[in-house]
Amino acid sequence: MALLVLLGSGFFLASVAMLDQTILQLVLMLLFVSAGFLVRYRLFTAYLVFIFLYPLLPSQFQYLFKLDLVEFLFLSLAFWWAFQRIRSQRWRLPDHPLNPLLSLFLLVSAISVVLALISGHFVLSEVFLLKLKDNWNIFRVNPYSDLAPLHSLIYMMEGMLFFYITIDALDTSEKIQRAARIIFYSAVLVSVLGILQYAFRFQLLEYWIKVNPKIVRINSTFSDPNSLATYLATIVCFAAFAYCSSPVERGRPVHNAGGTPAFHRFSKEALLHIVLVAVVFLALVFTVSRAGIGAAFLALFLLPALLRWAGIDGSKYLRGPTAWLVKRGAYVLMSGFVLLVFTAFVINYQNPKPVSLFQVVMYTFNPQITFDRMLQGRITFWKAAIDLFRDYPVFGCGAGAFTNALRNAPYFQTQPENAHNYFLQILSEIGLPGLILFCAILIQILRYAIKKLRASDVLDFPLIFGLFAGLIAFLLTCFTGHPLLLLKLQFVFWGFIGPLVIQPGSTQPVPRFSWGTRIFICTIILVAAFQIRSTLQSRRIPVYEHGYHEWEKDQEGNNFRWTGRAAISKMEVRGAVLSISLRQLNPEAVKKSAAVKIFVNNELVDNLHLSSFEWKEFKYYLPHLMKGKYAVLRIEPEIWFVPDKRELGIAVGNLAWMCSLSDPIGVHELEQEGTESLYWTRGQASFPLQISGEMISFQLLANPSVEKEPVEALFYWNDTSIKRMILTRAQWQNVSVGIPEGEREGIFTIRVLRTTNPKRMRLGADARDLGVRLSWPLQSGGKPVILQENPTGLLTHAEIYGISNNRNHPFQLVSYPIQSSSSKMQIRSCGVVLRPEPALLDSVSPREGNWIRIFPKSGAPKHVNVSIHVIKNVHLPPGPVVIRMTAMGNIAAGEVPVASLRINDREVARQPVPYEDWKDYYFSVLWPKKGKRLTLEFVNDYYEARQWMDRNLIIKEIVAAAAKQEPRELKPGWQLLPGWVLLAEPVGMNLPFSPLDNCYSISSK
């Protein structure tokens, strides 16, 4: 195991060589070598240096360079620690009774991560390996959510490794005492930085300012105020019991005549510690984290009473303020709670954007607001975690994959976050075995801690009691937060566990695996093998990318992304035609055009030169390049520039798939020379044709580069290669190609393997990329093709109807008018005939006038702003009901408003409202026998500071009607409406292109 630690940490530390700054490389190498000397000659000193430094270091040093200093220092320590163990022939990790449980937990977590990695994308694909290469470099910020499972597992392993380093370094009571003081003093410095941040408002996080600009929330050296609050709450509880009740005077115990300890005085050191604890508590208050402050009060006031009830009376060993906490803390806590609830009830403060800490407290303890509102929507994420667990009960959705899972159906959330409950996070990400093992680890730790408390003497008890209280405070914050997802807090957690479970001077035998445990391991591995097999058979990847920067908007509001030196998209094939929007903004490329190469499945499709700042759209017909369900698109700019610390290649807009062509693509503007029409192609051009014979004839002229070297041209009919030519002369020649027998309609494609840009090659003033020149139109000849005629023809093009999200399933609805109600229709999605389904809304057409008005009342204004929710008692007969909501939304703070439909307080549907004009949204539900209360609530309200009124969403009306058939969730397929065909297609929230907007064909053939 020590060898694995050495190799693993060395693998990550090798990324020092990837840095560009030579001075930084030298500094980091000096730190690495210094850590080696410290570990070699004094492991305990190296450990003290690390536990003092890691809370003070910023999580990511964004301002000078992107570097995770915390992880670098830890891996340096781990590398030399493992090297020393191997050098002394200690090949195993330190023995401890927790080893079996930790091993089982890591096994289940690793299986969960493997399943998550293979379910979302191809683990051994080109794109995955490129992302893994970037993620391996610890000096880069990890921007890839696809690798979040792997990242989460590494953090978990690093935290447990720190536990083993702790129990190896702290082998005596004196060392534990010294390490505890270092932890406390480091936290004081973090608190001082936080207080200065509150006073001078420097480096406040933009997100928290935007959420509530009236309240300053500090984060000090941590990534957010809530993680800082978890850390400070842990330290406050630890230091209050460990150092605020000192039974010493001038460093020695004071004894009575009978030899019993006397605790009647405080030393100057103890008084100083009280002041320092107050500083840490003040910084905790400035985080305005209700979870952190609440956990601190519970651990300080309630924990001593619970331990007294369990037979551990701290009043025997503690004096001063802490003795008062032990004796009367529970009564004070209960009295304060009742007083706060009564005060909040009288004041009735309900604005979820308070402007002071007092208002935060009044809002939190107000019994007149719902629990979900008080928790700021956390219950929604808790329910989503439970839903994920129901779908993935054994191994979960994958460690670190919770946020990604919420972006997709059926768990769609507009703002996916973590579960805000670490226990539910484990349940949803790692499954029931993972949660059971994690709880078993905690129970064992608490057992060891209580056992150590019972055996402690008068001098050790305050420290052990403080460590125990700090650990409890940390775990309490896990019920509304996710601290163990962060590396720093992994070190805090396992750093506190180490001293609690160490028994200095005693051997701690490691229990062997029992037969029951071995059977459990074999069962887990067997189930994992079957799960991996089924996942490999059913996995789908809508898109998998590498090399793009974050999405942004141009001056016209168009979404786009910059590429780096190269960008790759591995996509599901959603049609035959791929559309790419590109824009060149590199000033050097505009002065002298530079090439942008487009590859599909490693074959060069086009070589572009963009000489203007305008958006250009390029379309490619690609069935001859599709070797399966997926296509790999690679965009390689010839040059790039660095205007803002990013390497920028070319701007890429939305990628879109189309299933059919109506006009030629891949050609420049149609030209006229006398009476003839001519096209210049680019690297690839495609022409939709209807022909009456078996031959296509045209005239062809090669581009000017043919004078230096022959040019190869390939010809295709649909996905079949029909001709290959070597062009050697720049003169017109007649070309005839045959098409497959019996085919009348199809796509004729010409690929030119080398284009030329005359202006760039100094062959003329033409700045276009030229392939070959064709006479137009193409002529059809040969023996006529006899085919059956289509009597009805095709229907009109699709019109986007809206977006429906029934029961958390996001769909894009596309509607088609029916030309003949007597025709038996077929609907095709990318050439696949969709199976017909019964009509959904045919019984509740507006023409029938059978809608029941629910909201607003008669005589109300034409539209109503909804502040929080609409609650109406609706008397409908039990059975299938269709509800229609007519609403519009205003995007605020970059969010689309989302409505939640509830019946008797049970959510039955969740609906995003993305349009700023009136649209109808339908919900098909089953009305219960005893149900009468309908609630429409907006789960992402955006409040004004004073009026606290939702300005996201406006409702015109809500109506309902009984349906004749069982309610159905909208699924991919079609529903025949009066006069329309409605298509519902799942919308992948991570797609970089507009999915399936015009990727349908409908015919009666």
Side-chain angles (χ1 to χ4, degrees):
M1 290 302 296
L3 181 61
L4 289 177
V5 172
L6 181 68
L7 293 176
S9 55
F11 178 75
F12 283 101
L13 287 169
S15 55
V16 174
M18 305 291 290
L19 293 173
D20 297 330
Q21 302 98 320
T22 305
I23 296 178
L24 179 60
Q25 285 181 325
L26 294 176
V27 171
L28 294 176
M29 288 301 298
L30 179 62
L31 289 174
F32 176 71
V33 173
S34 300
F37 278 109
L38 277 175
V39 174
R40 169 68 178 86
Y41 296 104
R42 196 68 184 266
L43 172 62
F44 178 61
T45 302
Y47 179 82
L48 292 183
V49 171
F50 177 75
I51 63 175
F52 178 77
L53 286 179
Y54 83 79
L56 294 170
L57 296 175
S59 297
Q60 285 169 351
F61 206 84
Q62 299 275 7
Y63 302 100
L64 296 179
F65 43 83
K66 295 179 178 180
L67 167 63
D68 195 335
L69 284 169
V70 176
E71 191 164 16
F72 169 77
L73 288 181
F74 173 72
L75 291 176
S76 299
L77 175 66
F79 179 91
W80 291 111
W81 173 77
F83 179 80
Q84 284 300 108
R85 290 189 69 85
I86 293 173
R87 187 171 177 272
S88 58
Q89 297 185 355
R90 293 179 296 170
W91 298 88
R92 299 175 58 183
L93 293 176
D95 292 335
H96 194 275
L98 282 176
N99 286 9
L101 286 175
L102 294 177
S103 302
L104 288 176
F105 182 67
L106 275 181
L107 172 65
V108 174
S109 301
I111 293 173
S112 173
V113 167
V114 170
L115 287 169
L117 289 176
I118 67 175
S119 64
H121 44 266
F122 294 114
V123 177
L124 297 180
S125 70
E126 177 184 4
V127 181
F128 177 81
L129 294 177
L130 287 172
K131 287 193 174 185
L132 192 61
K133 178 183 175 181
D134 281 356
N135 192 71
W136 159 69
N137 188 346
I138 64 171
F139 303 106
R140 289 190 182 182
V141 179
N142 175 29
Y144 307 124
S145 58
D146 310 293
L147 298 179
L150 191 60
H151 208 250
S152 178
L153 180 65
I154 290 174
Y155 275 9
M156 194 182 302
M157 294 173 65
E158 288 176 340
M160 293 183 183
L161 180 59
F162 183 65
F163 164 73
Y164 286 109
I165 296 176
T166 299
I167 62 177
D168 193 27
L170 306 182
D171 52 0
T172 65
S173 297
E174 291 75 13
K175 289 182 178 180
I176 294 176
Q177 294 276 358
R178 288 182 62 186
R181 287 182 180 273
I182 293 296
I183 291 173
F184 177 46
Y185 295 149
S186 178
V188 171
L189 292 180
V190 172
S191 302
V192 170
L193 286 174
I195 294 171
L196 292 175
Q197 185 184 30
Y198 181 86
F200 298 103
R201 309 295 201 264
F202 61 88
Q203 294 182 9
L204 294 173
L205 297 180
E206 182 180 353
Y207 173 81
W208 300 103
I209 295 174
K210 182 166 53 175
V211 169
N212 193 338
K214 300 295 183 179
I215 292 184
V216 176
R217 300 191 64 181
I218 65 171
N219 64 291
S220 189
T221 59
F222 282 70
S223 57
D224 64 273
N226 292 328
S227 61
L228 175 63
T230 296
Y231 171 70
L232 295 180
T234 304
I235 299 300
V236 163
C237 297
F238 153 65
F241 290 110
Y243 300 121
C244 292
S245 177
S246 177
V248 298
E249 185 176 287
R250 295 180 184 174
R252 296 184 180 180
V254 178
H255 295 274
N256 293 324
T260 60
F263 302 91
H264 60 283
R265 294 182 183 177
F266 280 102
S267 65
K268 293 181 180 179
E269 185 182 16
L271 293 174
L272 175 62
H273 285 156
I274 292 175
V275 174
L276 295 181
V277 170
V279 170
V280 178
F281 181 77
L282 181 61
L284 173 62
V285 171
F286 286 160
T287 64
V288 198
S289 171
R290 296 175 295 173
I293 297 172
F297 274 98
L298 287 174
L300 287 172
F301 289 87
L302 190 60
L303 179 63
L306 294 177
L307 289 178
R308 288 186 70 185
W309 177 75
I312 301 175
D313 189 0
S315 61
K316 296 179 180 179
Y317 306 101
L318 303 175
R319 287 293 181 269
T322 50
W324 177 83
L325 285 176
V326 171
K327 293 179 179 179
R328 301 178 180 85
Y331 304 107
V332 174
L333 182 68
M334 296 301 295
S335 302
F337 177 79
V338 172
L339 179 62
L340 285 174
V341 171
F342 177 76
T343 306
F345 178 81
V346 173
I347 295 176
N348 193 24
Y349 183 82
Q350 295 194 21
N351 185 357
K353 289 190 178 292
V355 298
S356 66
L357 183 61
F358 175 76
Q359 291 180 350
V360 171
V361 174
M362 291 298 99
Y363 179 81
T364 303
F365 286 93
N366 188 354
Q368 301 181 64
I369 63 174
T370 63
F371 193 52
D372 188 35
R373 286 184 60 207
M374 187 270 287
L375 291 175
Q376 296 182 340
R378 280 173 167 80
I379 292 180
T380 300
F381 295 107
W382 296 354
K383 290 180 178 179
I386 294 174
D387 289 339
L388 268 171
F389 161 67
R390 289 172 179 171
D391 290 340
Y392 307 98
V394 181
F395 296 110
C397 65
F402 181 85
T403 304
N404 270 353
L406 290 193
R407 290 192 175 101
N408 302 314
Y411 323 101
F412 172 68
Q413 302 285 344
T414 55
Q415 278 191 315
E417 296 183 28
N418 294 300
H420 291 286
N421 182 309
Y422 189 70
F423 299 97
L424 290 179
Q425 186 108 8
I426 288 180
L427 182 66
S428 61
E429 291 186 346
I430 308 179
L432 185 60
L435 180 62
I436 292 174
L437 288 169
F438 183 73
C439 292
I441 292 170
L442 293 182
I443 291 172
Q444 284 292 90
I445 291 169
L446 297 180
R447 284 183 63 247
Y448 290 134
I450 291 175
K451 181 179 179 181
K452 195 166 185 177
L453 276 173
R454 295 183 189 276
S456 298
D457 58 21
V458 66
L459 294 179
D460 289 337
F461 185 88
L463 178 62
I464 303 303
F465 195 94
L467 290 169
F468 184 74
L471 180 62
I472 295 299
F474 188 101
L475 292 175
L476 287 174
T477 63
C478 291
F479 284 97
T480 57
H482 40 79
L484 286 175
L485 300 182
L486 305 173
L487 184 60
K488 271 190 182 182
L489 293 178
Q490 283 276 355
F491 295 151
V492 174
F493 179 70
W494 293 105
F496 267 64
I497 289 174
L500 283 173
V501 300
I502 293 173
Q503 299 293 334
S506 64
T507 59
Q508 302 180 76
V510 180
R512 293 185 176 182
F513 288 125
S514 64
W515 280 107
T517 305
R518 295 176 184 178
I519 293 173
F520 172 78
I521 294 174
C522 293
T523 303
I524 287 291
I525 294 175
L526 186 63
V527 172
F530 281 103
Q531 189 74 30
I532 290 173
R533 181 176 180 272
S534 62
T535 302
L536 287 171
Q537 293 175 345
S538 62
R539 61 184 174 179
R540 297 176 66 250
I541 55 168
V543 65
Y544 188 31
E545 299 177 320
H546 175 267
Y548 293 97
H549 295 288
E550 296 296 325
W551 284 96
E552 50 189 296
K553 290 183 180 292
D554 63 8
Q555 298 88 337
E556 291 78 27
N558 301 311
N559 291 318
F560 76 96
R561 291 177 296 175
W562 280 102
T563 70
R565 300 190 180 190
I568 293 178
S569 296
K570 186 167 187 176
M571 303 174 291
E572 273 188 315
V573 177
R574 298 292 187 97
V577 180
L578 177 63
S579 173
I580 309 171
S581 296
L582 301 176
R583 185 181 185 184
Q584 181 62 271
L585 294 174
N586 188 337
E588 296 300 323
V590 174
K591 293 178 183 177
K592 181 181 179 181
S593 60
V596 178
K597 294 182 179 180
I598 307 295
F599 296 85
V600 176
N601 289 346
N602 293 323
E603 289 194 34
L604 179 64
V605 174
D606 214 345
N607 193 38
L608 307 172
H609 294 81
L610 305 179
S611 55
S612 71
F613 291 131
E614 304 299 324
W615 281 106
K616 300 291 185 181
E617 184 181 19
F618 303 94
K619 297 179 182 179
Y620 303 99
Y621 178 73
L622 299 172
H624 55 285
L625 294 179
M626 303 309 176
K627 303 172 183 177
K629 295 173 59 179
Y630 305 101
V632 178
L633 168 70
R634 187 166 80 250
I635 303 174
E636 290 187 359
E638 184 180 22
I639 62 173
W640 52 90
F641 65 122
V642 187
D644 56 1
K645 298 184 179 180
R646 296 180 300 170
E647 290 182 340
L648 305 182
I650 191 167
V652 181
N654 286 336
L655 310 177
W657 288 103
M658 298 184 297
C659 276
S660 60
L661 281 180
S662 57
D663 298 302
I665 60 173
V667 294
H668 297 288
E669 295 80 7
L670 186 64
E671 303 173 7
Q672 296 289 334
E673 288 190 1
T675 60
E676 299 206 1
S677 300
L678 304 168
Y679 270 129
W680 268 111
T681 73
R682 293 195 296 267
Q684 176 174 308
S686 298
F687 306 86
L689 300 178
Q690 291 185 351
I691 63 174
S692 58
E694 57 185 13
M695 300 288 293
I696 299 175
S697 301
F698 53 90
Q699 287 188 311
L700 179 146
L701 175 68
N703 64 62
S705 69
V706 73
E707 299 291 349
K708 297 183 178 180
E709 184 179 354
V711 174
E712 185 176 5
L714 305 176
F715 302 87
Y716 298 87
W717 180 258
N718 293 331
D719 57 352
T720 304
S721 176
I722 56 177
K723 192 178 183 67
R724 176 177 176 269
M725 290 183 64
I726 303 296
L727 307 177
T728 58
R729 293 177 297 174
Q731 65 182 31
W732 287 100
Q733 53 185 305
N734 295 321
V735 179
S736 295
V737 294
I739 64 170
E741 183 179 355
E743 296 192 16
R744 179 184 177 187
E745 297 182 6
I747 307 296
F748 179 62
T749 300
I750 302 176
R751 289 186 63 203
V752 182
L753 298 189
R754 190 180 75 252
T755 61
T756 187
N757 188 292
K759 185 176 181 180
R760 178 180 169 89
M761 301 300 296
R762 298 181 180 179
L763 299 175
D766 195 342
R768 299 177 298 174
D769 295 298
L770 305 179
V772 292
R773 203 177 194 191
L774 303 173
S775 60
W776 182 258
L778 306 182
Q779 303 297 318
S780 173
K783 183 179 178 181
V785 178
I786 301 175
L787 294 174
Q788 294 182 353
E789 293 186 358
N790 182 2
T792 57
L794 294 176
L795 298 181
T796 59
H797 291 292
E799 298 176 4
I800 300 301
Y801 182 76
I803 292 180
S804 174
N805 186 11
N806 194 30
R807 295 181 184 271
N808 284 352
H809 292 262
F811 294 100
Q812 175 174 276
L813 302 186
V814 187
S815 59
Y816 294 83
I818 298 177
Q819 293 180 340
S820 173
S821 59
S822 61
S823 300
K824 184 177 181 181
M825 311 302 298
Q826 278 190 355
I827 300 182
R828 297 173 179 267
S829 170
C830 290
V832 179
V833 179
L834 302 181
R835 183 177 299 175
E837 296 183 2
L840 176 65
L841 305 177
D842 56 355
S843 64
V844 292
S845 170
R847 303 171 187 172
E848 300 180 14
N850 56 357
W851 293 98
I852 299 173
R853 188 181 181 88
I854 298 175
F855 176 84
K857 295 180 180 179
S858 300
K862 293 183 179 180
H863 56 265
V864 179
N865 282 64
V866 177
S867 60
I868 301 172
H869 50 234
V870 175
I871 300 177
K872 292 291 181 181
N873 290 332
V874 181
H875 299 283
L876 289 173
V881 171
V882 173
I883 297 172
R884 187 185 75 214
M885 175 183 72
T886 305
M888 62 183 290
N890 295 320
I891 297 176
E895 286 188 41
V896 172
V898 178
S900 172
L901 182 71
R902 303 173 185 270
I903 298 176
N904 290 349
D905 295 328
R906 177 180 177 269
E907 185 179 71
V908 295
R910 179 163 291 197
Q911 173 65 54
V913 182
Y915 295 103
E916 296 190 350
D917 53 358
W918 298 116
K919 294 289 181 182
D920 291 336
Y921 302 90
Y922 293 93
F923 308 93
S924 175
V925 300
L926 189 65
W927 198 264
K929 293 182 179 180
K930 298 182 179 180
K932 66 176 183 178
R933 184 170 59 189
L934 181 144
T935 304
L936 189 68
E937 183 176 356
F938 301 102
V939 296
N940 60 339
D941 293 346
Y942 188 78
Y943 294 95
E944 292 180 352
R946 295 181 180 179
Q947 298 179 358
W948 54 277
M949 179 174 141
D950 186 272
R951 52 185 179 177
N952 277 358
L953 197 138
I954 305 169
I955 293 179
K956 180 182 286 186
E957 67 173 1
I958 302 172
V959 294
K964 296 178 182 178
Q965 68 283 323
E966 291 295 321
R968 292 176 175 269
E969 296 180 7
L970 294 178
K971 296 181 179 179
W974 63 280
Q975 290 80 32
L976 191 63
L977 303 183
W980 293 86
V981 171
L982 179 67
L983 292 177
E985 184 73 19
V987 176
M989 302 309 296
N990 291 329
L991 298 183
F993 47 82
S994 304
L996 306 173
D997 282 354
N998 50 357
C999 208
Y1000 294 98
S1001 63
I1002 304 179
S1003 71
S1004 57
K1005 181 179 177 181

